[in-house]
Amino acid sequence: MAMHYHIEIRPKTLYFKKPAGTSRGTYTERKSWYIYLTAEETPGRQGIGECAPLPKLSCDDVPGYEEVLAKACQNFTRTGRIDVDGLRDYPSILFGLETAFRHFEAGSFALWNTPFSHGEVGIPINGLIWMGSYEEMLGQVTDKIESGFRCIKLKIGAIDFDKELEILRIIRKQFSSDEIELRVDANGAFSPNEAMRKLNCLAKLDLHSIEQPIRAGQWEDMALLAASSPVPIALDEELIGYNTPEKKKELLSFINPQYIILKPSLHGGLYGCSEWIKEAQDRQIGWWITSALESNVGLNAIAQWCATFDNPLPQGLGTGGLFTNNIDLPLSINNGQLIIDNGQQTIDK
């Protein structure tokens, strides 16, 4: 029997507790659109998804976004299907529809049947150190380590490189790589000419990886770095906008990085990220999953999906506490792991 679906779209502005500094600027607020999926045949059941393109970064941060979202929702309610190919260039909309439908089908926020969803295990995550002054960043590092994190990720490129090196040296003097894993994210801040010199400096600190050392779109320079860098290269922004299987194969074959970092809202929804994972595994490229400043609705969906994979690497799922007006869901961080209390199955409208 065909279901008679209805979707309501509700925009919401989320406000950061503290300004979130990146090499692309500082966020003080961001907008999300929540889609509430219901059906006449199942009164009382709903599915909620979050559509949250990042300003100046997402490939679907474009004029007319709300019109495309409305049309995609209308198409779903008419057909009962998600038009994956038609939404490849709108990964945040695809992610919102996929996860709203998954929530509706599951009947609870335990979207998949995993030990994480049952509240039995946590997901190891990296402790994220936001860009700031030397003192601010060092204070964040101390807080994360004292909170039990065993993987620390520093966003670099905003202050003097030597000061960023000093922060990393302080950590390494106290903790070996067996005790604390260190990742850095340059967000494309290095120029191709200076990248190798800086990578050689970073290599002395026994880092796990560096994300996006040079800005996206410089394939030849990035491929050279991936082939010769003493620090493993992870691609992030580089993947944005490569939304077809053919383009994904072309990019990974040309650059051949050590890792890719997958954000469903940016990199193709769950469907598109699954394609990235397959292509990466075919080439022995490592990967992990990260949220992209979604509220707890999107974060929960990403974490639930992440838990279906047997990936031992720390994931990037620690952004749930950033907002003053977040959606209340039973997600918390304990001893460097994201955990869930699956006893709460409802959400306030």
Side-chain angles (χ1 to χ4, degrees), residues 33 51-53 60-70 90-93:
W33 287 262
C51 305
D60 53 1
D61 176 37
V62 294
Y65 178 88
E66 289 184 271
E67 288 79 6
V68 176
L69 173 59
Y90 293 88
S92 65
I93 295 177

Side-chain angles (χ1 to χ4, degrees), residues 86-105:
L87 290 172
R88 281 188 179 273
D89 290 336
Y90 293 88
S92 65
I93 295 177
L94 181 56
F95 171 68
L97 281 169
E98 287 175 313
T99 52
F101 184 62
R102 184 71 198 182
H103 180 205
F104 180 86
E105 290 283 286

